[in-house]
Amino acid sequence: MKHADIKETAEALFNEQRNPFGAFTLGSETHHAVTIPDAVRRCRWIAVDMNASAFGLFFVSPSPERARLVPCFDSDYPGIAVATKFISGANGEEIVRHTRISTEPRWWTDDGVPAMAELFGDLAWTEQMAALVPGASGIAFPVHADRGQCGLVVFLGSEMTMQQDALYEIHARCFSLFAAVARIRPGDTGRMRAISKRELECLKLTANGNTSEEIARLLKLSVHTANQYLTQSTQKLNAVNRNQAVAKALRLGLIE
């Protein structure tokens, strides 16, 4: 099933009034307001339906040179799960390259859970990949949205269940979830303090996987100043940490 087929499947599900976002549809310009806590709850519903024990939603970083997944939220929201740190690290480079060109799901298994290999191996239109999280089984759904944004919705668990028809429905729901998250805007833009060019440069370099020391060197700043710019942009975006600030900046189109 290709990108267009999944979109068609999603729209069919919405027409059956199974849309978890109310009036929202993939082709609509307006929809009910969706907040990150709303999105976390809806992702948790998807996880429950497939008996997954953990989940996470990620944006693909804008840099073609340094492939990276930027976490938006996970099942430990508002905290960050240990699994998310693995996924957004070097382990995610292969799936980022795949996500940019395909929507085909990828899965991996823990060697100690053969039932998961049997479950995923029976699913058509999926392929096995190197583990994103060591010692865990999981499945990753590539998703795309407006403005060329793409990302990944990942589910983890040792006792997940999945039928072929359910695979398409789950993927369609992941598409709608990502599209809704990608369209989130501040409720009152007038209250958001202006973010400076330097702050955006620091955010973009963070999205590309650079450390504070690397950002300071690239922008010819002190490490203290680079961290100060990141702290200010995080506060202005009302984010809890710089990773969430990067995810918000990507959603809002502030960095590309």
Side-chain angles (χ1 to χ4, degrees):
M1 184 175 288
K2 298 180 181 179
H3 181 176
D5 297 326
I6 290 184
K7 182 174 179 180
E8 184 177 338
T9 299
E11 289 175 339
L13 292 174
F14 298 152
N15 290 336
E16 294 172 11
Q17 297 183 342
R18 299 171 71 179
N19 174 11
F21 292 102
F24 174 75
T25 65
L26 290 180
S28 69
E29 295 300 325
T30 60
H31 58 88
H32 292 316
V34 176
T35 65
I36 290 298
D38 291 333
V40 173
R41 283 193 293 271
R42 283 150 176 78
C43 201
R44 184 166 285 115
W45 294 342
I46 299 174
V48 167
D49 286 347
M50 57 194 297
N51 203 36
S53 57
F55 57 83
L57 186 146
F58 303 80
F59 279 80
V60 167
S61 67
S63 171
E65 293 82 20
R66 302 186 69 167
R68 182 170 177 259
L69 290 167
V70 178
C72 181
F73 63 77
D74 61 35
S75 41
D76 280 8
Y77 179 84
I80 298 178
V82 173
T84 293
K85 297 177 181 178
F86 280 106
I87 295 172
S88 58
N91 289 354
E93 290 185 4
E94 176 189 345
I95 191 65
V96 164
R97 289 190 288 270
H98 169 73
T99 298
R100 284 175 171 157
I101 61 173
S102 175
T103 56
E104 185 178 68
R106 289 286 188 264
W107 57 268
W108 76 94
T109 61
D110 176 10
D111 291 339
V113 188
M116 286 292 91
E118 182 178 352
L119 171 74
F120 293 138
D122 287 340
L123 296 173
W125 193 64
T126 66
E127 292 288 340
Q128 189 172 8
M129 63 171 287
L132 284 180
V133 181
S137 299
I139 185 166
F141 293 95
V143 284
H144 293 207
D146 295 338
R147 306 198 313 271
Q149 295 185 93
C150 61
L152 205 66
V153 184
V154 180
F155 297 93
L156 308 171
S158 60
E159 298 180 352
M160 285 189 283
T161 58
M162 179 79 69
Q163 299 296 321
Q164 189 67 56
D165 289 347
L167 174 78
Y168 301 140
E169 180 177 352
I170 293 294
H171 203 167
R173 290 167 67 187
C174 289
F175 256 80
S176 74
L177 173 66
F178 184 74
V181 170
R183 292 186 181 198
I184 291 176
R185 294 290 183 272
D188 184 352
T189 55
R191 293 184 180 179
M192 190 175 75
R193 293 160 58 197
I195 300 177
S196 71
K197 179 181 177 181
R198 267 291 192 238
E199 290 165 350
L200 290 176
E201 287 174 336
C202 290
L203 279 177
K204 184 169 183 177
L205 288 170
T206 300
N208 293 339
N210 292 284
T211 64
S212 295
E213 290 75 15
E214 291 170 329
I215 292 171
R217 187 181 69 253
L218 290 168
L219 298 181
K220 296 180 172 55
L221 305 170
S222 69
V223 175
H224 172 75
T225 301
N227 281 327
Q228 193 170 36
Y229 280 132
L230 287 167
T231 297
Q232 289 170 182
S233 59
T234 298
Q235 292 172 343
K236 289 177 181 179
L237 287 166
N238 194 28
V240 297
N241 54 47
R242 65 177 63 178
N243 272 334
Q244 190 183 78
V246 166
K248 281 192 171 186
L250 286 168
R251 289 201 315 270
L252 297 171
L254 298 175
I255 58 176
E256 298 178 352

